[in-house]
Amino acid sequence: MNLAIIGAGRIAHVHAAAAAADPRIHLQSVADIVPEAAQRLAREYGAASVEVDAVFADPGIDAVLIASSTATHAEFLERAAKAGKAILCEKPIALDIARTKAAVDVVNAHPVTCALGFNRRHDAQFAALKHGLAHGRIGTLETLTIISRDPAPPPVEYLKVSGGLFFDMMIHDFDTARWLLDEPIRSVSAAGAVLIDDEIGNVGDVDTAMVTLITESGRLCHIQNSRRTAFGYDQRIEAFGSAGMLQAVNETETRLRATTADGESVEPPKHFFLERYSAAYASELGDLYDAWISGGQPMATHIDGYEALRLAAAAAQSLADNRTVALSEIG
């Protein structure tokens, strides 16, 4: 597969490294609004630095990885689909439902392989938890708890354009919830607060949030997010069922546990998403290749991107109105 990456920032570097490590994938070109950034990334991996238009016009490009700024995702997704390229697009497709739906409709109108960058579906622990649920290891799933806490807030300048915590951070957890619950979600209730940094509140966002999802059959899912932890990147899941419980726990560097006369100690969690999900990013790109070569569906598609955005929009509406929002109200 000949791959082009649009974008040359931090996440593009992660994807470029994953492409370089997969012998089935050849990173052919890199494009970015800042030519010097594209040149640096392309040079690192022996690729060509090109203009964005050249990516879509080149018949030798099989797949496009969209890792540019969020505001460009929908346009590039549509252009890639119209050009007949396979696609891996970072989340979210857009920050509003109508624009996302329009892009989804364009992709649906073209027979292309399209994956959305929900890398947590590709994490080994989370995948094992999903497998356990699917094979009835804990009987009937009743409640699901998802905890996701960053080590520190991003810069306020980033938060101003991020769309807010529900769209930027919790959207991963919304996708994880949909994937694990595996049934339609009926309603969304959100609570949020500014407990970490008043500047986050000044730009109209929250830094701490809790959301409850209720499925059509009455299952409950609770999601907790915080923009700060004192101990690293907190990523945990608990699935509770009629016959037991499954838990995905924090990853550490070696998982070493020390026991001495002073008691037991364990290492702190890996610092942030680049360390925690490095293997998942590689698996995500491999999944795109597998779907492209087989004609199948990636683990997360543009439809999943749209549905996760609906949950984010419902959460934002719930927080604004201080009420439970039926998902049928959104989109």
Side-chain angles (χ1 to χ4, degrees):
M1 171 190 280
N2 290 323
L3 177 71
I5 295 179
I6 300 177
R10 178 173 61 175
I11 199 63
H13 280 260
V14 173
H15 288 302
D22 192 325
R24 305 169 300 173
I25 298 170
H26 170 240
L27 179 55
Q28 184 162 315
S29 58
V30 178
D32 191 86
I33 192 171
V34 180
E36 295 79 11
Q39 290 163 9
R40 285 193 296 271
L41 181 57
R43 186 163 51 245
E44 184 175 352
Y45 291 98
S49 173
V50 301
E51 298 289 333
V52 170
D53 290 347
V55 169
F56 304 113
D58 187 348
I61 297 293
D62 299 310
V64 177
L65 198 159
I66 301 168
S68 48
S69 61
T70 296
T72 66
H73 288 181
E75 176 194 347
F76 292 158
L77 187 66
E78 293 171 344
R79 293 182 68 183
K82 291 175 181 178
K85 314 295 188 187
I87 307 158
L88 172 55
C89 182
E90 275 297 334
K91 62 79 193 169
I93 295 172
L95 291 176
D96 67 271
I97 296 293
R99 184 67 186 96
T100 300
K101 182 62 165 58
V104 166
D105 288 343
V106 169
V107 176
N108 286 342
H110 295 82
V112 296
T113 302
C114 184
L116 230 289
F118 289 129
N119 59 74
R120 295 177 191 185
R121 294 192 183 209
H122 303 274
D123 177 72
Q125 271 204 79
F126 293 0
L129 191 150
K130 170 71 171 178
H131 184 271
L133 289 176
H135 288 79
R137 192 170 179 186
I138 59 168
T140 301
L141 177 65
E142 296 171 351
T143 64
L144 181 69
T145 302
I146 300 173
I147 295 172
S148 182
R149 300 181 179 121
D150 286 351
V156 170
E157 290 305 311
Y158 171 81
L159 293 176
K160 289 179 180 178
V161 298
S162 71
L165 182 146
F166 297 124
F167 293 87
D168 171 57
M169 181 179 178
M170 196 179 287
I171 194 166
H172 277 291
D173 303 307
F174 288 134
D175 179 69
T176 300
R178 290 187 63 250
W179 177 53
L180 295 177
L181 292 166
D182 197 27
E183 73 166 296
I185 292 166
R186 185 175 70 222
S187 65
V188 180
S189 301
V194 179
L195 303 176
I196 298 167
D197 186 347
D198 288 342
E199 283 300 308
I200 294 176
N202 292 340
V203 299
D205 200 2
V206 296
D207 54 38
T208 308
M210 294 184 175
V211 169
T212 299
L213 311 177
I214 303 178
T215 70
E216 291 291 352
S217 71
R219 290 173 176 168
L220 303 177
C221 175
H222 184 62
I223 301 173
Q224 299 182 35
N225 274 188
S226 174
R227 288 289 193 181
R228 180 205 60 207
T229 63
F231 52 83
Y233 191 41
D234 194 9
Q235 299 285 288
R236 291 175 285 146
I237 299 175
E238 177 189 287
F240 179 81
S242 59
M245 177 172 66
L246 294 168
Q247 292 178 303
V249 300
N250 281 323
E251 297 274 357
T252 67
E253 286 301 323
T254 68
R255 297 195 180 184
L256 179 68
R257 180 184 295 270
T259 304
T260 69
D262 296 324
E264 288 191 336
S265 64
V266 296
E267 299 170 322
K270 291 184 176 180
H271 177 66
F272 205 18
F273 73 96
L274 294 177
E275 296 88 353
R276 172 63 180 82
Y277 292 116
S278 59
Y281 280 109
S283 178
E284 178 181 65
L285 192 54
D287 177 61
L288 174 69
Y289 175 87
D290 290 339
W292 174 71
I293 206 73
S294 69
Q297 288 291 320
M299 286 184 65
T301 72
H302 55 298
I303 303 297
D304 296 305
Y306 172 67
E307 292 298 338
L309 193 78
R310 290 181 68 215
L311 290 173
Q317 192 69 54
S318 173
L319 181 63
D321 295 350
N322 191 30
R323 66 180 178 89
T324 297
V325 173
L327 193 57
S328 59
E329 298 177 43
I330 307 297

